[in-house]
Amino acid sequence: MSLEAVRKGMRGLDPVVVTEAPAGCGKTHEAADLARDLAERLPDDREVLVLAHTNAAVEEFRSRASRHSARVRALTLDAFALELIVPYATQLGLPSPLRPGRGGVSFSQLATRVGELFTRAPSILRAVAAHYPVMILDEHQDSRVDQHDIVDQLRRAGPVLVRVFGDPMQAIYAFDGALVDWDALAADKKYSLTQPRRWKEEPALGEWLMAARDALRGDDTISREDVPASVQLTTVEGLSDPGAYWKRPAPQLLRCLRTSLTDLEGTVGVLVPHNSHALGIRVGLAPLVSVYEGAEPSMAYEALEAAIRATGRPRDLAHVMIGLVHESSTGLDKQKREALDKCLRDDDVEFGRRKTVRGFAEQLAALYESPDIPTFCAVAGSVCTNPPPWLKIHLPEALRCLAQVDLQAGEDPIDQLAGAARYRKLAKRLPRRCVTTIHKSKGREFDHVIIPLATRSAFPDGAEARKLLYVAMTRSRRSIQILLPASGATPLLVGSP
């Protein structure tokens, strides 16, 4: 079916239209244009509602729709659910003010609570359906069944047009609860976007990636023969599969990566399955490559919540900070952690002869003077800007975000941290040459992508690994380099290069 016919079908009056959109085929562009066109049909007091699963998808949509009608509203599914239940938290037996993840309701329960609200108050359901007569669901392959049920309830409550976009081959997030069955989604019409757009400068790469998608989705393998010039498959001699969670890259792997990072022009993404891989490569190649930590500073939230629980207990607060620094850095080894533990008493800091850790212990001593959250966040900033000489901070964003928490009377630290996180998302900081996980790269693009170790452990012959490999490869605009071990290579790539 032609693109024009697909566009016409999406703008028709069928209640539910599902469009499958492989990576690089203009899904966000088409969704943004659709939102604008459908918004123009609405009365002034109605809006098009765009819902996606991740903040990255929402921000990408907003950036594409910046010149579109003001009657287009984009939110994550969780943000939409939270917005609905906050005014009725007390009636639903929830704490007020409601903050997901902190003793109230988990993010995975938000959609269920909305369903409960709609059941108990059908008038609210009808009012919401009336206000949003058009709903566009972006990246819907990542949505859970209970989140899809919210949309289904709204669709049945009024004459709501639902337009669904997604790619089942990009369903790589392991969220709580069952994901929607993409192939089983009920729809009046189903379409596909099949024309690659991301690879206008490298059409052969686009064609190869579309063929690779078909193979991976069909439980087939990708041939290492007859690849385009923009795809380089390199066997690293003397290298074997180090297992799934390796932390220290082999010297020969680092040499290959250093050569590629030096020779390539433009943006480069080194994409790996796990955080341990990213940190190991960063340590081995610093300062040639930085770590992209994603849109959500998860380590900062975890540390702040632990610090809130430890408020008033300086030793416990200090250990929360030590744990955060250990996760984000190298150099804070077991011996130094034990030395710090001996310095930290219940009521004061005893330095003794421990000169190596004295500087860090002096920073932690501030927590004994004021064992509270403002001081904890100030110490995070101090450690980030003035680390001891033996400490190398490779994942600084959690410390930076905490340093921006500047509490005034009555303010909530989690809300302050969320504000700092929102600023990070809007800034869209993405290093020119970065190493990051495949999950965090989703929704991002690079001129060149390097998959540094395509092993059997990292990419076995399974559904999840097939999707991970596909997502990693399709982040590239101009070239892909896949490094393979001499033994233990992924079974998803077969034949001789």
Side-chain angles (χ1 to χ4, degrees), residues 266-339:
T267 58
V268 182
V270 182
L271 307 186
V272 294
H274 302 294
N275 284 318
S276 62
H277 305 163
L279 184 57
I281 290 173
R282 158 65 183 177
V283 171
L285 294 177
L288 192 58
V289 65
S290 301
V291 175
Y292 172 59
E293 298 178 51
E296 289 287 352
S298 57
M299 284 196 298
Y301 280 106
E302 292 166 3
L304 185 55
E305 289 174 354
I308 290 170
R309 294 191 294 269
T311 296
R313 303 193 304 276
R315 190 170 187 271
D316 291 344
L317 275 172
H319 277 288
V320 172
M321 183 59 63
I322 290 169
L324 174 60
V325 172
H326 176 60
E327 282 189 68
S328 57
S329 314
T330 56
L332 186 54
D333 54 27
K334 182 179 180 181
Q335 184 177 5
K336 292 185 179 68
R337 295 200 305 274
E338 289 176 349

Side-chain angles (χ1 to χ4, degrees), residues 19-348:
T19 302
E20 184 168 314
C25 290
K27 178 264 301 174
T28 304
H29 174 82
E30 292 297 333
D33 281 353
L34 177 65
R36 177 201 61 200
D37 293 346
L38 295 181
E40 290 176 353
R41 303 179 187 176
L42 301 180
D44 291 342
D45 59 345
R46 300 291 186 263
E47 292 181 289
V48 171
L49 179 64
V50 180
L51 296 175
H53 209 296
T54 65
N55 285 295
V58 169
E59 294 302 332
E60 178 66 16
F61 185 91
R62 288 173 178 168
S63 69
R64 299 290 183 96
S66 59
R67 296 190 300 272
H68 288 187
S69 168
R71 296 198 301 275
V72 177
R73 189 160 184 246
L75 296 167
T76 66
L77 281 153
D78 282 337
F80 178 59
L82 184 62
E83 181 180 275
L84 289 173
I85 64 176
V86 161
Y88 309 100
T90 302
Q91 291 89 331
L92 292 170
L94 300 172
S96 183
L98 180 63
R99 296 184 182 90
R102 288 187 57 205
V105 58
S106 68
F107 281 104
S108 62
Q109 294 176 320
L110 288 175
T112 301
R113 293 293 191 167
V114 172
E116 180 184 343
L117 174 65
F118 284 166
T119 300
R120 293 172 59 179
S123 59
I124 296 175
L125 171 63
R126 291 191 295 269
V128 175
H131 186 74
Y132 298 114
V134 177
M135 301 182 69
I136 296 176
L137 311 181
D138 195 15
E139 300 285 359
H140 200 57
Q141 76 279 342
D142 291 320
S143 297
R144 299 190 311 270
V145 171
D146 56 346
Q147 293 172 324
H148 183 76
D149 287 344
I150 294 176
V151 177
D152 220 30
Q153 285 180 280
L154 290 168
R155 180 185 62 81
R156 293 196 302 268
V160 178
L161 296 183
V162 177
R163 300 296 181 258
V164 182
F165 291 86
D167 178 8
M169 283 300 292
Q170 295 188 67
I172 62 173
Y173 292 115
F175 293 112
D176 293 335
L179 297 183
V180 295
D181 184 341
W182 179 263
D183 294 325
L185 283 177
D188 298 282
K189 294 285 178 61
K190 290 190 176 183
Y191 301 108
S192 294
L193 298 176
T194 57
Q195 181 178 349
R197 297 189 187 182
R198 183 173 296 163
W199 306 282
K200 291 180 180 179
E201 296 181 9
E202 293 289 343
L205 176 59
E207 293 175 6
W208 183 81
L209 285 169
M210 292 294 282
R213 179 183 187 272
D214 291 341
L216 291 172
R217 192 178 184 186
D219 292 333
D220 203 348
T221 55
I222 302 172
S223 173
R224 294 166 64 179
E225 302 173 358
D226 300 324
V227 298
S230 50
V231 177
Q232 181 180 351
L233 304 173
T234 303
T235 298
V236 183
E237 295 301 329
L239 191 64
S240 58
D241 185 349
Y245 296 99
W246 53 268
K247 295 182 179 180
R248 295 183 179 180
Q252 56 267 51
L253 176 61
L254 290 176
R255 284 195 294 270
C256 288
L257 289 173
R258 185 175 289 109
T259 299
S260 296
L261 288 166
T262 302
D263 293 345
L264 291 171
E265 297 181 358
T267 58
V268 182
V270 182
L271 307 186
V272 294
H274 302 294
N275 284 318
S276 62
H277 305 163
L279 184 57
I281 290 173
R282 158 65 183 177
V283 171
L285 294 177
L288 192 58
V289 65
S290 301
V291 175
Y292 172 59
E293 298 178 51
E296 289 287 352
S298 57
M299 284 196 298
Y301 280 106
E302 292 166 3
L304 185 55
E305 289 174 354
I308 290 170
R309 294 191 294 269
T311 296
R313 303 193 304 276
R315 190 170 187 271
D316 291 344
L317 275 172
H319 277 288
V320 172
M321 183 59 63
I322 290 169
L324 174 60
V325 172
H326 176 60
E327 282 189 68
S328 57
S329 314
T330 56
L332 186 54
D333 54 27
K334 182 179 180 181
Q335 184 177 5
K336 292 185 179 68
R337 295 200 305 274
E338 289 176 349
L340 284 168
D341 190 52
K342 293 177 181 177
C343 290
L344 302 174
R345 308 296 180 85
D346 288 337
D347 299 318
D348 62 359

Side-chain angles (χ1 to χ4, degrees), residues 20-25 167-172 198-199 208-217 222 271 438 442 449 451 459 463-476 480 492:
E20 184 168 314
C25 290
D167 178 8
M169 283 300 292
Q170 295 188 67
I172 62 173
R198 183 173 296 163
W199 306 282
W208 183 81
L209 285 169
M210 292 294 282
R213 179 183 187 272
D214 291 341
L216 291 172
R217 192 178 184 186
I222 302 172
L271 307 186
I438 298 169
K442 192 165 177 285
V449 160
I451 301 174
F459 300 101
E464 181 180 355
R466 288 171 174 273
K467 293 175 183 179
L468 279 176
L469 182 60
Y470 167 71
V471 170
M473 294 190 302
T474 53
R475 300 309 92 204
S476 171
I480 303 168
L492 300 179

Side-chain angles (χ1 to χ4, degrees), residues 425-444:
K425 294 169 193 171
L426 293 174
K428 293 185 177 179
R429 297 191 186 101
L430 190 64
R432 186 170 178 80
R433 279 165 164 68
C434 70
V435 54
T436 189
T437 64
I438 298 169
H439 291 84
K440 291 173 183 173
S441 75
K442 192 165 177 285
R444 302 292 188 177

Side-chain angles (χ1 to χ4, degrees), residues 404-426:
Q404 294 178 39
V405 175
D406 182 21
L407 294 178
Q408 304 296 322
E411 292 186 338
D412 185 271
I414 295 293
D415 291 343
Q416 285 270 310
L417 180 58
R422 282 194 296 272
Y423 177 79
R424 288 179 74 240
K425 294 169 193 171
L426 293 174

